[in-house]
């Protein structure tokens, strides 16, 4: 779900218009630059960078900002990295994020951007939930993209095969997706992982995973 949602966020396009790059994670900058080019910004007025979210990243961000920069896109991977390495559930994740926040890296970044006159918008590509495994589909390469909370197929027959093995899963087809794709979602609170295994994951049909904050900081 990450490459799909992040491309959509940076390009301002629904996934059906991203069919050729849907599963790629290296297209965010291209989508960001094209969006602003469509709004008559010159290339030198647009900047983009993705960083881990450590203190050492702040100078890197500052270095790509020039007097001509009008639109800057920044991806911070820290929270996502915390989630994927988490062994202590939602409470453990909250504690690690609180520790990172206390380092004030995000605060320093926002302060620096505001001091340069930027309006700052903050959001996320997805949320996450705790889930319990219902088993791992044995599909090999048959699934175009296999995740813990959703699996993506270009052949409905393959999806139906998996649905037969996991009848509590949810088949989902949406007009915002490319015509040749169908999705199988794990039920709320469940995941396509080892049966009984607890994990934090994203990409499923829950409010926590699909609704994210969108903040504007102007002062």
């Amino acid at each position: 779900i990450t490459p799909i949602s992040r491309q959509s966020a940076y390009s301002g396009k629904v996934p059906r218009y991203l069919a050729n790059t849907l599963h790629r994670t290296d297209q965010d900058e291209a989508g960001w630059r094209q969006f602003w080019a469509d709004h008559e910004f010159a290339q030198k007025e647009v900047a983009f960078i993705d960083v881990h979210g450590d203190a050492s990243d702040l100078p890197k961000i500052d270095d790509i900002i020039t007097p001509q920069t009008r639109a800057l896109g920044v991806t911070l991977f820290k929270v996502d990295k915390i989630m994927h390495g988490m062994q202590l559930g939602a409470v453990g994740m909250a504690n690690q994020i609180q520790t990172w926040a206390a380092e004030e890296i995000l605060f320093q970044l926002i302060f620096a951007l505001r001091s340069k006159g930027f309006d700052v918008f903050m959001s996320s590509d997805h949320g996450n939930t705790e889930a319990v495994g219902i088993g791992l589909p044995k599909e090999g390469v048959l699934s175009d993209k296999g995740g813990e909370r959703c699996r993506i197929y270009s052949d409905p027959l393959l999806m139906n095969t998996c649905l037969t093995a996991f009848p509590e899963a949810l088949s989902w087809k949406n007009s915002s997706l490319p015509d040749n794709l169908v999705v199988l979602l794990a039920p709320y609170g469940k995941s396509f992982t080892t049966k009984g295994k607890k994990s934090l994951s994203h990409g499923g049909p829950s409010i926590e995973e699909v609704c994210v904050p969108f903040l504007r900081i102007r002062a």
Side-chain angles (χ1 to χ4, degrees), residues 83 86 89-90 129-133 148-149 189-193 196-201:
M83 191 209 74
M86 181 49 56
T129 58
E130 284 190 333
V132 178
E148 293 185 1
R149 296 285 285 132
K190 304 294 180 63
S191 62
F192 294 118
T193 55
K197 176 185 176 182
K198 292 183 179 181
S199 63
L200 277 171
S201 55

Side-chain angles (χ1 to χ4, degrees), residues 109-164:
L109 174 58
I110 294 171
F111 182 83
L113 294 175
R114 288 295 301 133
S115 68
K116 294 178 183 293
F118 285 100
D119 274 1
V120 178
F121 294 84
M122 293 175 56
S123 189
S124 176
D125 47 5
H126 52 68
N128 59 81
T129 58
E130 284 190 333
V132 178
I134 57 175
L136 185 64
K138 295 178 172 58
E139 300 173 312
V141 297
L142 298 182
S143 170
D144 291 37
K145 198 71 172 178
E148 293 185 1
R149 296 285 285 132
C150 73
R151 305 184 75 81
I152 299 173
Y153 302 85
S154 56
D155 186 342
L157 293 177
L158 297 178
M159 184 203 69
N160 288 332
T161 299
C162 186
L163 184 59
T164 299

Side-chain angles (χ1 to χ4, degrees), residues 101 103-112:
E103 297 174 1
E104 296 194 347
I105 295 164
L106 184 59
F107 170 81
Q108 292 177 49
L109 174 58
I110 294 171
F111 182 83

Side-chain angles (χ1 to χ4, degrees), residues 25 29 44 52 55 72 81 100 107 120 124 138 169 183 217:
T25 57
E29 180 174 2
K44 66 181 180 181
H52 291 291
L72 167 67
K81 295 294 185 183
W100 176 67
F107 170 81
V120 178
S124 176
K138 295 178 172 58
V183 175
I217 301 173

